Amino acid sequence: MAQRIAFLASDAPVAQTARAALVGRYDDCPPENADVIVALGGDGFMLQTLHATQDLNAPVYGMNRGTVGFLMNEYAETDLLNRLMIAEEEVINPLSMRATTADGKVHEALAINEVSMLRQGPQAAKLRIWIDERLRLDELVCDGALLATPAGSTAYNYSAHGPILPIGSDVLALTAIAPFRPRRWRGALVRKESVVRLEVMNPEKRPVMADADSRSVRDVISVEIRSEPAVGHRILFDPGHGLEERLIREQFV
């Protein structure tokens, strides 16, 4: 039975050109009617596509028309139907962010890679960290802090010197961004089931913003983060090039 494919592309000209070529070869259908969604772009567009299609049954197969392409497969116009048939599926759960701002409003968002808190002005942020309602760090002076999933551990988390986590591991990486005090604190691993709460100290003098996969909320006073098992993002990879292999390979380059 032929697969119904929805082709989605970023605004980059190279991605739009690839989409036109693939639609001409394989036809196209709306995402809600598709058996599989093919995303053409970089990792940022892949994250956008996963968020936009999370309520659909179709898995997403990415082909790299961006820069890094950690979540993408190699681009090729030929043999796509066979590649889709033999692709291996990974299911990842996002993080749920609940951010409270200084005006008392609550903002909710999901993040596939990480939820981060970042200083909003020239002053360093001062954060207090709670894990499962227990105070673990009474003051962290830093540029920010983030909580990353295994799938997102090679992104911002890794650039902030956080650990790479094996895919499927039941832990999340809590990582400081440019910590000043405690000077030697380099983060922690927490259970996937844990609830992490970050509170902003002196928010008037030291304003902080929260970010969930590039969706930002300014002037936050606290952020609560937990894994969201009710949402499962289905991603397809070519055999032998899944997330587990990529995460291992990334540690030996």
Side-chain angles (χ1 to χ4, degrees), residues 137-142 176 179-186:
L137 193 57
D138 59 3
E139 184 181 272
L140 172 63
V141 183
C142 56
F180 180 67
R181 289 196 182 95
R183 193 174 295 276
R184 296 184 181 276
W185 193 72
R186 289 297 181 266

Side-chain angles (χ1 to χ4, degrees), residues 20-193:
L22 290 167
V23 168
R25 184 184 288 261
Y26 299 102
D27 208 354
D28 186 35
C29 75
E32 57 270 20
N33 297 334
D35 298 311
V36 62
I37 296 166
V38 172
L40 303 162
D43 286 334
F45 183 71
M46 183 62 160
L47 292 177
Q48 292 177 32
T49 302
L50 291 171
H51 284 298
T53 62
Q54 69 184 38
D55 294 326
L56 303 180
N57 291 324
V60 179
Y61 179 88
M63 285 202 287
N64 190 20
R65 295 285 81 189
T67 305
V68 178
F70 185 81
L71 296 174
M72 316 299 277
N73 300 284
E74 289 186 6
Y75 176 76
E77 292 180 17
T78 59
D79 202 31
L80 178 59
L81 296 181
N82 182 60
R83 291 175 74 183
L84 294 176
M85 286 182 60
I86 64 175
E88 299 171 348
E89 182 175 300
E90 301 271 8
V91 179
I92 57 176
N93 303 118
L95 298 174
S96 170
M97 177 187 80
R98 183 179 173 88
T100 303
T101 52
D103 59 7
K105 294 182 180 179
V106 175
H107 303 259
E108 298 183 345
L110 296 177
I112 295 167
N113 273 357
E114 77 279 318
V115 172
S116 58
M117 295 183 71
L118 305 165
R119 66 181 176 91
Q120 198 172 293
Q123 296 275 7
K126 284 189 177 181
L127 305 177
R128 185 178 288 126
I129 300 177
W130 299 75
I131 308 292
D132 295 326
E133 300 185 351
R134 182 172 178 179
L135 181 62
R136 291 295 185 179
L137 193 57
D138 59 3
E139 184 181 272
L140 172 63
V141 183
C142 56
D143 278 355
L146 62 85
L147 189 69
T149 65
S153 63
T154 62
Y156 194 5
N157 171 72
Y158 191 44
S159 69
H161 307 291
I164 293 179
L165 304 177
I167 196 69
S169 60
D170 292 327
V171 294
L172 305 171
L174 177 60
T175 301
I177 302 169
F180 180 67
R181 289 196 182 95
R183 193 174 295 276
R184 296 184 181 276
W185 193 72
R186 289 297 181 266
L189 298 179
V190 300
R191 296 182 307 116
K192 185 178 179 180
E193 297 80 13

